[in-house]
Amino acid sequence: MVWYEKLAIVAFMVLFMECFAWAAHRYVMHGWGWAWHKSHHEDHEGWFEKNDLYAVVFAIVPIVLFVVGLWWEPLWWAALGITVYGGIYAFVHDMLVHQRGGFRWVPKRGYFKRLLQAHRLHHAVEGKDGTVSHGFLFARKPAVLKAQLRANAGRSPRTPSPGETAGPVTSDAQR
């Protein structure tokens, strides 16, 4: 492989991972995987939260690709692209937005301020439904996200899944 093919694979995988991360965050973490992700939306003590298990699970794919990539080189470069995205995610989400690891920079303008605002608006909703901004590297304007939050607040709540209650449980005698 020539250098520009390798670079193209890495760049493609970074972009692909933003799409994958958006979908996983929106439909898995705020869907059937809420049991792990809920810890990220609540106060907690200590360095780790249950949500960090997603990073462990998602790390399995690039590890396997790095190994298999020893025999088929494009997979090695794909794994590198996923790893680069993981590093960007760790900086933007964990360090910048949530200030994990003692990182204490608050951007005053530009791209990083917009990412910070978008993620804070994501956390403005209590619970898993009605949230906005599920991506990590591309963020819509805060005014657009605020309007979407207002629109989401006006919608009727989703139908609960089996085994889940929509509100306080009442007996038949109380109905």
Side-chain angles (χ1 to χ4, degrees), residues 3 9 14 16 23 42 53 64 69 91-92 106 108 113 120 125-126 133-134 142 149 161-162:
W3 70 269
I9 291 172
V14 169
F16 170 80
E42 297 175 333
L53 292 172
V64 169
F91 171 74
V92 170
V106 178
K108 303 292 185 220
K113 180 180 180 182
R120 287 191 176 159
V125 174
E126 189 173 320
S133 191
H134 295 92
L149 280 172
S161 58

Side-chain angles (χ1 to χ4, degrees), residues 47-91:
W47 175 260
F48 293 102
E49 52 193 45
K50 200 171 193 178
N51 182 67
D52 293 331
L53 292 172
Y54 280 113
V56 174
V57 170
F58 292 156
I60 294 168
V61 173
I63 290 169
V64 169
L65 291 176
F66 273 125
V67 172
V68 176
L70 295 173
W71 290 275
W72 195 55
E73 190 177 5
L75 291 182
W76 194 94
W77 293 101
L80 182 62
I82 295 170
T83 303
V84 166
Y85 181 84
I88 295 168
Y89 169 87
F91 171 74

Side-chain angles (χ1 to χ4, degrees), residues 125-145:
V125 174
E126 189 173 320
K128 69 179 184 176
D129 297 319
T131 55
V132 296
S133 191
H134 295 92
F136 297 105
L137 300 181
F138 300 109
R140 294 186 351 220
K141 292 179 181 179
V144 172
L145 296 173

Side-chain angles (χ1 to χ4, degrees), residues 6-72:
K6 296 171 187 177
L7 182 62
I9 291 172
V10 171
F12 173 80
M13 290 309 294
V14 169
L15 293 174
F16 170 80
M17 285 306 299
E18 176 64 4
C19 297
F20 173 83
W22 179 91
H25 189 199
R26 172 67 181 89
Y27 295 109
V28 175
M29 295 175 189
H30 280 262
W32 57 267
W34 178 249
W36 284 5
H37 189 61
K38 181 180 181 184
S39 68
H40 181 64
H41 286 265
E42 297 175 333
D43 290 335
H44 65 281
E45 300 216 5
W47 175 260
F48 293 102
E49 52 193 45
K50 200 171 193 178
N51 182 67
D52 293 331
L53 292 172
Y54 280 113
V56 174
V57 170
F58 292 156
I60 294 168
V61 173
I63 290 169
V64 169
L65 291 176
F66 273 125
V67 172
V68 176
L70 295 173
W71 290 275
W72 195 55

